[in-house]
């Protein structure tokens, strides 16, 4: 299957902004629940991280081998390159109740800059499909030894380009 065919297969329903979205499933853990029966806000940020890794791969050299990501990005960066979170923005639209099935998370790229990218997410309730969380994460690649920002390569831009769409918090 070509990358374009893979992108077509991964298009989430309702992605009318021109970009493709990756849909990943992120488990909710019993311990993620707060006293109100909802997934705790701190755990929501953990779920965003899990969705990001499921969609774009774990950073190279971490953990043991597993399932290849849909779009290898973090898993393909050169040794000594760090993918660092610069900023998160999270809007809680509706409480995400704990369920013993994984939540569905749409992930896409809402911004590509010379040395940074922005990912957007929508977390859906896995049973009723309601949108529960809208979020964005700004990331930058940094050289571990020097601490300097690294530019996105043409290959990284090409790999991400089918998944570039409108940001959730754009005005």
């Amino acid at each position: 299957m070509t990358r374009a065919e893979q992108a077509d297969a991964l298009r989430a329903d309702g992605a009318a902004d021109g970009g493709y979205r990756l849909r990943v499933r992120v488990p909710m853990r019993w311990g993620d629940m707060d006293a109100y029966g909802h997934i705790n806000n701190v755990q929501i940020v953990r779920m965003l991280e899990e969705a990001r890794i499921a969609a774009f791969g774990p950073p190279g050299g971490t953990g043991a081998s597993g399932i290849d990501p849909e779009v290898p990005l973090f898993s393909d960066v050169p040794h000594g390159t760090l993918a660092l979170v610069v900023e998160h923005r999270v809007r809680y639209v509706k409480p995400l109740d704990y369920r013993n099935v994984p939540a569905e998370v749409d992930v896409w790229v809402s911004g590509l800059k010379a040395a940074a990218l922005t990912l957007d997410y929508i977390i859906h309730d896995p049973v009723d499909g309601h949108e529960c969380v809208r979020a964005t994460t700004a990331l930058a690649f940094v050289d571990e030894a020097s601490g300097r920002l690294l530019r996105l390569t043409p290959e990284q831009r090409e790999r991400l380009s089918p998944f570039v769409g409108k940001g959730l918090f754009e005005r």
Side-chain angles (χ1 to χ4, degrees):
M1 182 181 285
T2 68
R3 191 161 303 281
E5 290 169 333
Q6 288 174 335
D8 285 339
L10 296 168
R11 186 176 185 90
D13 292 334
D17 56 19
Y20 295 103
R21 295 180 180 185
L22 295 158
R23 177 158 286 177
V24 297
R25 296 170 53 86
V26 177
M28 292 184 261
R29 301 175 310 177
W30 177 258
D32 294 344
M33 194 175 20
D34 62 19
Y36 302 112
H38 309 136
I39 301 301
N40 181 275
N41 64 309
V42 172
Q43 298 307 320
I44 292 289
V45 175
R46 182 197 55 80
M47 290 177 73
L48 299 176
E49 177 182 56
E50 294 294 333
R52 186 168 60 248
I53 297 304
F56 299 107
T62 61
S65 61
I67 297 172
D68 290 334
E70 299 292 344
V71 181
L73 174 66
F74 304 124
S75 53
D76 283 356
V77 297
H79 179 72
T81 300
L82 305 175
L84 300 180
V85 171
V86 176
E87 178 180 30
H88 287 299
R89 181 171 178 186
V90 182
R91 179 173 294 151
Y92 300 95
V93 178
K94 181 179 183 255
L96 177 60
D97 292 322
Y98 169 78
R99 303 198 186 264
N100 63 350
V101 294
E104 295 181 339
V105 185
D106 292 338
V107 184
W108 68 99
V109 179
S110 63
L112 281 175
K113 295 182 180 176
L117 68 145
T118 304
L119 301 177
D120 281 31
Y121 319 78
I122 297 177
I123 299 177
H124 300 272
D125 183 289
V127 173
D128 65 22
H130 282 94
E131 183 179 303
C132 296
V133 176
R134 294 176 150 235
T136 187
T137 301
L139 298 134
F141 290 116
V142 174
D143 178 76
E144 184 176 25
S146 68
R148 297 182 64 126
L149 285 174
L150 298 172
R151 291 185 170 277
L152 292 168
T153 66
E155 294 80 16
Q156 290 169 328
R157 290 178 172 286
E158 181 181 341
R159 191 174 293 162
L160 294 173
S161 65
F163 303 97
V164 175
K166 184 177 179 188
L168 291 171
F169 299 108
E170 293 180 9
R171 294 179 190 221

